[in-house]
Amino acid sequence: CRPPGRGERIGHILDESLKCFAEQGFERVTYDDLIARSKVSRGSFYWYFPSKEALYDAVLDTCVSGYVERLEVEFAKTGAKDNIVKRLLDACLADFNRNRKQYRLLLRPPPSKSAIRTLARWNDGVAQFFRDKLEPSVKAGKLDRAAAEILPDVLSAFLDGVCVRLVLEDEGSVSRLSKNIE
């Protein structure tokens, strides 16, 4: 049995730190909590991540990277004959249900410029995904251009509300939302 390589070790630290940050929040989690959870030596931990902020930034970047690609996969699974808004919400909620820890983390960032930039990049990517999916409906005359321009913000605000409900651990209401989208 070979010891884990650098990439595997970093991936393990990021995965375990995601869980820790999601459970306790950035402010409450300590470096000792993160090291204990990751089961990596203190020296190795500091070598990869010299501060809790640097670790959080890496975890956050991991959460945000690939988000639009995940939405594309979920969107492809939705009913092509369904209303575009329903399809977008179904795709987002499916990803949400698969990645709840990531969403908990995204709502509890430290007040760092790096975290804010990463979250802004995530938000911009989601808005562009929505615009790209709405455009064919506009061109086909199924959706008014004015509605298509405001829908990304409306959908984003709705999804932010879903995330807040998750952080408040009101999971029942989130499941009801998924079932009642029409």
Side-chain angles (χ1 to χ4, degrees):
C1 185
R2 186 172 60 95
R6 183 179 194 276
E8 292 169 344
R9 185 173 295 127
I10 290 173
H12 173 75
I13 291 170
L14 293 174
D15 288 345
E16 293 303 316
S17 296
L18 167 62
K19 294 172 191 171
C20 208
F21 283 131
E23 291 164 5
Q24 298 179 41
F26 177 81
E27 297 298 327
R28 290 190 334 198
V29 73
T30 68
Y31 223 56
D32 288 337
D33 295 333
L34 295 163
I35 292 167
R37 180 78 170 251
S38 297
K39 296 183 174 108
V40 175
S41 74
R42 184 171 296 278
S44 290
F45 206 89
Y46 279 104
W47 175 259
Y48 297 126
F49 303 102
S51 69
K52 186 169 82 166
E53 291 79 9
L55 174 60
Y56 184 91
D57 287 345
V59 170
L60 183 60
D61 194 51
T62 299
C63 291
V64 171
S65 296
Y67 178 72
V68 171
E69 290 81 7
R70 291 193 323 260
L71 286 184
E72 288 286 357
V73 168
E74 294 302 334
F75 186 81
K77 296 176 187 176
T78 63
K81 293 183 180 185
D82 287 342
N83 178 288
I84 186 65
V85 173
K86 179 182 179 352
R87 292 182 71 198
L88 289 169
L89 289 173
D90 284 348
C92 291
L93 289 173
D95 181 74
F96 174 81
N97 282 322
R98 282 188 183 77
N99 298 289
R100 289 175 178 249
K101 282 187 174 49
Q102 290 181 6
Y103 285 95
R104 279 192 176 107
L105 175 85
L106 293 172
L107 285 176
R108 297 179 180 179
S112 74
K113 288 180 182 178
S114 177
I116 291 168
R117 277 193 307 272
T118 300
L119 290 171
R121 186 184 75 213
W122 173 59
N123 194 46
D124 291 346
V126 172
Q128 188 60 52
F129 170 80
F130 289 153
R131 283 191 291 276
D132 291 347
K133 296 303 179 195
L134 293 167
E135 187 58 30
S137 293
V138 171
K139 286 182 178 179
K142 295 179 181 178
L143 185 63
D144 176 84
R145 168 75 56 202
E149 288 177 7
I150 196 161
L151 266 172
D153 290 334
V154 171
L155 293 171
S156 182
F158 173 79
L159 293 169
D160 288 348
V162 170
C163 289
V164 169
R165 287 179 178 199
L166 175 66
V167 170
L168 297 174
E169 297 183 2
D170 184 8
E171 307 221 5
S173 68
V174 174
S175 297
R176 286 191 304 277
L177 286 171
S178 283
K179 292 177 186 171
N180 293 320
I181 294 175
E182 294 190 30

